[in-house]
Amino acid sequence: MAGYGWTAYDVRKGGMQIVNDTGNKLDLITQFAKVSDDERSGKWGLRVKGIPRANARDHQKTTMIFYLGSEDSNSRIECTEGHKINPSNSDVVCDGTMVGLRNFK
């Protein structure tokens, strides 16, 4: 890995970071965005995008595994795909309940 870091970040609004993965010939971009009505609550969104580096093979395939979990046995998390016909271009929506976070989606 050649490096990683935030290119923009604001704790109240979100940010963007880039991971320069030279070994897998991929730049991974994560974008976090917060939409809120006030300072204490809000909805967070995450977008992950991979861009092949200049030295990558044509039509390089990459697998992304996103893990969301909780160590609290009283929590519940369930994720579903939003697009059944073409899952590679779909949103994944997770909802559940966690102590301190309450219900989330």
Side-chain angles (χ1 to χ4, degrees), residues 53-87:
R53 297 180 66 88
N55 62 343
R57 294 182 310 203
D58 289 341
H59 308 291
Q60 173 176 305
K61 293 186 178 186
T62 303
T63 300
M64 172 66 69
I65 298 172
F66 176 74
Y67 176 79
L68 176 65
S70 172
E71 295 179 4
D72 182 357
S73 62
N74 295 319
S75 65
R76 180 189 64 80
I77 301 171
E78 185 174 320
C79 299
T80 57
E81 291 181 31
H83 195 284
K84 298 297 180 189
I85 296 171
N86 189 356

Short mmCIF file of all heavy atoms in Angstrom, two decimals, residues 53-87:
data_model
loop_
_atom_site.label_atom_id
_atom_site.label_comp_id
_atom_site.label_asym_id
_atom_site.label_seq_id
_atom_site.Cartn_x
_atom_site.Cartn_y
_atom_site.Cartn_z
N ARG A 53 -5.58 1.52 -11.19
CA ARG A 53 -4.41 2.38 -11.39
C ARG A 53 -3.94 2.24 -12.84
O ARG A 53 -4.34 1.32 -13.56
CB ARG A 53 -3.32 2.00 -10.42
CG ARG A 53 -3.75 2.24 -8.95
CD ARG A 53 -2.68 1.86 -7.97
NE ARG A 53 -1.50 2.70 -8.07
CZ ARG A 53 -1.32 3.86 -7.43
NH1 ARG A 53 -2.25 4.29 -6.62
NH2 ARG A 53 -0.21 4.54 -7.56
N ALA A 54 -3.10 3.15 -13.28
CA ALA A 54 -2.63 3.18 -14.68
C ALA A 54 -1.96 1.87 -15.10
O ALA A 54 -2.06 1.48 -16.26
CB ALA A 54 -1.69 4.36 -14.87
N ASN A 55 -1.32 1.18 -14.17
CA ASN A 55 -0.61 -0.05 -14.52
C ASN A 55 -1.46 -1.31 -14.33
O ASN A 55 -0.94 -2.43 -14.39
CB ASN A 55 0.69 -0.17 -13.72
CG ASN A 55 0.45 -0.24 -12.22
OD1 ASN A 55 -0.62 0.10 -11.73
ND2 ASN A 55 1.46 -0.66 -11.49
N ALA A 56 -2.76 -1.16 -14.11
CA ALA A 56 -3.65 -2.32 -13.94
C ALA A 56 -3.93 -2.97 -15.28
O ALA A 56 -3.88 -2.33 -16.33
CB ALA A 56 -4.96 -1.88 -13.29
N ARG A 57 -4.24 -4.26 -15.24
CA ARG A 57 -4.62 -4.97 -16.46
C ARG A 57 -5.98 -4.48 -16.94
O ARG A 57 -6.81 -4.03 -16.15
CB ARG A 57 -4.70 -6.47 -16.20
CG ARG A 57 -3.39 -7.11 -15.86
CD ARG A 57 -3.56 -8.59 -15.66
NE ARG A 57 -4.68 -8.81 -14.72
CZ ARG A 57 -4.85 -9.89 -14.00
NH1 ARG A 57 -4.01 -10.88 -14.10
NH2 ARG A 57 -5.86 -10.01 -13.18
N ASP A 58 -6.22 -4.60 -18.23
CA ASP A 58 -7.54 -4.29 -18.78
C ASP A 58 -8.57 -5.23 -18.16
O ASP A 58 -8.31 -6.42 -18.00
CB ASP A 58 -7.56 -4.45 -20.30
CG ASP A 58 -6.78 -3.35 -21.01
OD1 ASP A 58 -6.54 -2.30 -20.40
OD2 ASP A 58 -6.40 -3.57 -22.17
N HIS A 59 -9.71 -4.70 -17.81
CA HIS A 59 -10.83 -5.48 -17.25
C HIS A 59 -10.45 -6.20 -15.96
O HIS A 59 -10.89 -7.31 -15.70
CB HIS A 59 -11.37 -6.48 -18.29
CG HIS A 59 -11.69 -5.85 -19.60
ND1 HIS A 59 -12.73 -4.96 -19.76
CD2 HIS A 59 -11.08 -5.95 -20.81
CE1 HIS A 59 -12.75 -4.55 -21.01
NE2 HIS A 59 -11.77 -5.14 -21.68
N GLN A 60 -9.62 -5.57 -15.17
CA GLN A 60 -9.24 -6.14 -13.87
C GLN A 60 -10.47 -6.31 -12.99
O GLN A 60 -11.29 -5.41 -12.89
CB GLN A 60 -8.24 -5.21 -13.19
CG GLN A 60 -7.90 -5.62 -11.77
CD GLN A 60 -6.85 -4.72 -11.17
OE1 GLN A 60 -5.79 -4.57 -11.74
NE2 GLN A 60 -7.14 -4.12 -10.05
N LYS A 61 -10.59 -7.45 -12.35
CA LYS A 61 -11.71 -7.71 -11.45
C LYS A 61 -11.23 -7.58 -10.01
O LYS A 61 -10.14 -8.02 -9.67
CB LYS A 61 -12.30 -9.09 -11.70
CG LYS A 61 -12.95 -9.20 -13.06
CD LYS A 61 -13.64 -10.51 -13.22
CE LYS A 61 -14.30 -10.53 -14.59
NZ LYS A 61 -15.12 -11.71 -14.77
N THR A 62 -12.08 -7.00 -9.19
CA THR A 62 -11.75 -6.79 -7.78
C THR A 62 -12.98 -7.13 -6.94
O THR A 62 -14.10 -6.84 -7.34
CB THR A 62 -11.36 -5.32 -7.53
OG1 THR A 62 -10.28 -4.98 -8.38
CG2 THR A 62 -10.97 -5.09 -6.10
N THR A 63 -12.77 -7.73 -5.81
CA THR A 63 -13.85 -8.05 -4.88
C THR A 63 -13.75 -7.16 -3.66
O THR A 63 -12.68 -6.99 -3.09
CB THR A 63 -13.76 -9.53 -4.43
OG1 THR A 63 -13.87 -10.36 -5.59
CG2 THR A 63 -14.87 -9.88 -3.46
N MET A 64 -14.88 -6.59 -3.26
CA MET A 64 -14.94 -5.73 -2.07
C MET A 64 -15.82 -6.41 -1.04
O MET A 64 -16.94 -6.85 -1.35
CB MET A 64 -15.54 -4.38 -2.44
CG MET A 64 -15.83 -3.49 -1.26
SD MET A 64 -14.37 -2.96 -0.38
CE MET A 64 -13.65 -1.87 -1.55
N ILE A 65 -15.32 -6.52 0.18
CA ILE A 65 -16.10 -7.08 1.28
C ILE A 65 -16.27 -5.99 2.32
O ILE A 65 -15.29 -5.44 2.83
CB ILE A 65 -15.40 -8.31 1.90
CG1 ILE A 65 -15.27 -9.41 0.84
CG2 ILE A 65 -16.17 -8.81 3.11
CD1 ILE A 65 -14.44 -10.59 1.27
N PHE A 66 -17.51 -5.65 2.60
CA PHE A 66 -17.83 -4.64 3.60
C PHE A 66 -18.37 -5.36 4.82
O PHE A 66 -19.31 -6.15 4.72
CB PHE A 66 -18.86 -3.65 3.05
CG PHE A 66 -19.31 -2.63 4.06
CD1 PHE A 66 -18.47 -1.58 4.42
CD2 PHE A 66 -20.55 -2.71 4.64
CE1 PHE A 66 -18.87 -0.64 5.34
CE2 PHE A 66 -20.96 -1.78 5.57
CZ PHE A 66 -20.12 -0.73 5.92
N TYR A 67 -17.78 -5.09 5.98
CA TYR A 67 -18.21 -5.76 7.21
C TYR A 67 -18.82 -4.72 8.13
O TYR A 67 -18.23 -3.68 8.39
CB TYR A 67 -17.01 -6.43 7.89
CG TYR A 67 -17.37 -7.05 9.21
CD1 TYR A 67 -17.99 -8.28 9.27
CD2 TYR A 67 -17.10 -6.38 10.39
CE1 TYR A 67 -18.34 -8.85 10.49
CE2 TYR A 67 -17.43 -6.94 11.61
CZ TYR A 67 -18.05 -8.17 11.66
OH TYR A 67 -18.39 -8.72 12.85
N LEU A 68 -19.99 -5.02 8.62
CA LEU A 68 -20.67 -4.18 9.60
C LEU A 68 -21.10 -5.09 10.72
O LEU A 68 -21.80 -6.09 10.49
CB LEU A 68 -21.89 -3.50 8.97
CG LEU A 68 -22.77 -2.65 9.87
CD1 LEU A 68 -21.98 -1.44 10.38
CD2 LEU A 68 -24.00 -2.21 9.12
N GLY A 69 -20.67 -4.82 11.92
CA GLY A 69 -20.99 -5.71 13.02
C GLY A 69 -21.03 -4.99 14.35
O GLY A 69 -20.68 -3.82 14.46
N SER A 70 -21.48 -5.71 15.35
CA SER A 70 -21.53 -5.19 16.71
C SER A 70 -21.19 -6.33 17.66
O SER A 70 -21.56 -7.48 17.44
CB SER A 70 -22.93 -4.66 17.03
OG SER A 70 -23.04 -4.33 18.39
N GLU A 71 -20.49 -6.00 18.72
CA GLU A 71 -20.15 -7.00 19.73
C GLU A 71 -21.23 -7.10 20.80
O GLU A 71 -21.15 -7.96 21.67
CB GLU A 71 -18.81 -6.65 20.37
CG GLU A 71 -17.67 -6.73 19.38
CD GLU A 71 -16.33 -6.38 19.99
OE1 GLU A 71 -16.25 -6.14 21.21
OE2 GLU A 71 -15.34 -6.35 19.24
N ASP A 72 -22.25 -6.26 20.74
CA ASP A 72 -23.34 -6.27 21.71
C ASP A 72 -24.38 -7.30 21.30
O ASP A 72 -24.95 -7.25 20.21
CB ASP A 72 -23.98 -4.87 21.76
CG ASP A 72 -25.10 -4.77 22.77
OD1 ASP A 72 -25.44 -5.79 23.42
OD2 ASP A 72 -25.64 -3.66 22.93
N SER A 73 -24.63 -8.28 22.17
CA SER A 73 -25.59 -9.35 21.85
C SER A 73 -27.03 -8.85 21.77
O SER A 73 -27.90 -9.54 21.26
CB SER A 73 -25.49 -10.48 22.88
OG SER A 73 -25.82 -10.00 24.17
N ASN A 74 -27.29 -7.64 22.27
CA ASN A 74 -28.65 -7.08 22.21
C ASN A 74 -28.89 -6.28 20.94
O ASN A 74 -29.97 -5.74 20.75
CB ASN A 74 -28.92 -6.20 23.43
CG ASN A 74 -28.92 -7.00 24.70
OD1 ASN A 74 -29.46 -8.11 24.74
ND2 ASN A 74 -28.31 -6.49 25.74
N SER A 75 -27.90 -6.16 20.08
CA SER A 75 -28.07 -5.38 18.86
C SER A 75 -28.57 -6.27 17.73
O SER A 75 -28.46 -7.49 17.77
CB SER A 75 -26.75 -4.70 18.46
OG SER A 75 -25.79 -5.67 18.14
N ARG A 76 -29.13 -5.62 16.72
CA ARG A 76 -29.63 -6.32 15.53
C ARG A 76 -29.22 -5.51 14.31
O ARG A 76 -29.41 -4.31 14.25
CB ARG A 76 -31.14 -6.43 15.57
CG ARG A 76 -31.74 -7.15 14.35
CD ARG A 76 -33.25 -7.06 14.32
NE ARG A 76 -33.73 -5.69 14.16
CZ ARG A 76 -33.79 -5.01 13.01
NH1 ARG A 76 -33.36 -5.55 11.90
NH2 ARG A 76 -34.27 -3.77 12.97
N ILE A 77 -28.62 -6.19 13.32
CA ILE A 77 -28.23 -5.55 12.06
C ILE A 77 -28.68 -6.45 10.92
O ILE A 77 -28.43 -7.66 10.93
CB ILE A 77 -26.71 -5.35 11.98
CG1 ILE A 77 -26.21 -4.49 13.13
CG2 ILE A 77 -26.34 -4.70 10.64
CD1 ILE A 77 -24.70 -4.43 13.22
N GLU A 78 -29.32 -5.86 9.93
CA GLU A 78 -29.75 -6.60 8.75
C GLU A 78 -29.51 -5.74 7.51
O GLU A 78 -29.87 -4.57 7.48
CB GLU A 78 -31.23 -6.95 8.85
CG GLU A 78 -31.72 -7.82 7.73
CD GLU A 78 -33.16 -8.26 7.96
OE1 GLU A 78 -33.52 -8.57 9.10
OE2 GLU A 78 -33.90 -8.30 6.97
N CYS A 79 -28.87 -6.33 6.51
CA CYS A 79 -28.57 -5.60 5.28
C CYS A 79 -29.24 -6.29 4.09
O CYS A 79 -29.27 -7.51 4.02
CB CYS A 79 -27.06 -5.54 5.04
SG CYS A 79 -26.16 -4.70 6.35
N THR A 80 -29.75 -5.50 3.16
CA THR A 80 -30.38 -6.02 1.96
C THR A 80 -29.89 -5.24 0.75
O THR A 80 -29.54 -4.07 0.84
CB THR A 80 -31.91 -5.91 2.03
OG1 THR A 80 -32.27 -4.54 2.25
CG2 THR A 80 -32.47 -6.76 3.15
N GLU A 81 -29.87 -5.91 -0.39
CA GLU A 81 -29.51 -5.26 -1.64
C GLU A 81 -30.73 -4.55 -2.19
O GLU A 81 -31.84 -5.04 -2.11
CB GLU A 81 -29.03 -6.28 -2.66
CG GLU A 81 -27.70 -6.90 -2.31
CD GLU A 81 -27.25 -7.89 -3.37
OE1 GLU A 81 -27.58 -7.71 -4.54
OE2 GLU A 81 -26.57 -8.84 -2.98
N GLY A 82 -30.50 -3.40 -2.77
CA GLY A 82 -31.60 -2.61 -3.30
C GLY A 82 -31.97 -2.96 -4.73
O GLY A 82 -33.04 -2.63 -5.19
N HIS A 83 -31.10 -3.65 -5.47
CA HIS A 83 -31.34 -3.90 -6.89
C HIS A 83 -31.10 -5.38 -7.18
O HIS A 83 -29.97 -5.84 -7.16
CB HIS A 83 -30.39 -3.02 -7.72
CG HIS A 83 -30.77 -2.91 -9.15
ND1 HIS A 83 -30.58 -3.91 -10.05
CD2 HIS A 83 -31.35 -1.89 -9.82
CE1 HIS A 83 -30.99 -3.51 -11.25
NE2 HIS A 83 -31.46 -2.29 -11.13
N LYS A 84 -32.14 -6.13 -7.45
CA LYS A 84 -32.02 -7.58 -7.62
C LYS A 84 -31.55 -7.99 -9.01
O LYS A 84 -30.95 -9.03 -9.19
CB LYS A 84 -33.36 -8.27 -7.31
CG LYS A 84 -33.83 -8.06 -5.90
CD LYS A 84 -32.87 -8.68 -4.91
CE LYS A 84 -33.34 -8.46 -3.50
NZ LYS A 84 -32.39 -8.84 -2.50
N ILE A 85 -31.85 -7.19 -10.05
CA ILE A 85 -31.50 -7.58 -11.41
C ILE A 85 -30.01 -7.41 -11.67
O ILE A 85 -29.36 -8.25 -12.26
CB ILE A 85 -32.33 -6.77 -12.43
CG1 ILE A 85 -33.80 -7.12 -12.28
CG2 ILE A 85 -31.84 -7.03 -13.86
CD1 ILE A 85 -34.73 -6.24 -13.07
N ASN A 86 -29.42 -6.31 -11.20
CA ASN A 86 -28.00 -6.06 -11.41
C ASN A 86 -27.36 -5.69 -10.08
O ASN A 86 -27.13 -4.51 -9.80
CB ASN A 86 -27.80 -4.94 -12.44
CG ASN A 86 -26.36 -4.80 -12.86
OD1 ASN A 86 -25.48 -5.47 -12.33
ND2 ASN A 86 -26.12 -3.91 -13.80
N PRO A 87 -27.06 -6.69 -9.21
CA PRO A 87 -26.55 -6.39 -7.87
C PRO A 87 -25.23 -5.64 -7.86
O PRO A 87 -24.90 -4.97 -6.89
CB PRO A 87 -26.39 -7.76 -7.22
CG PRO A 87 -26.96 -8.75 -8.13
CD PRO A 87 -27.22 -8.10 -9.45
#
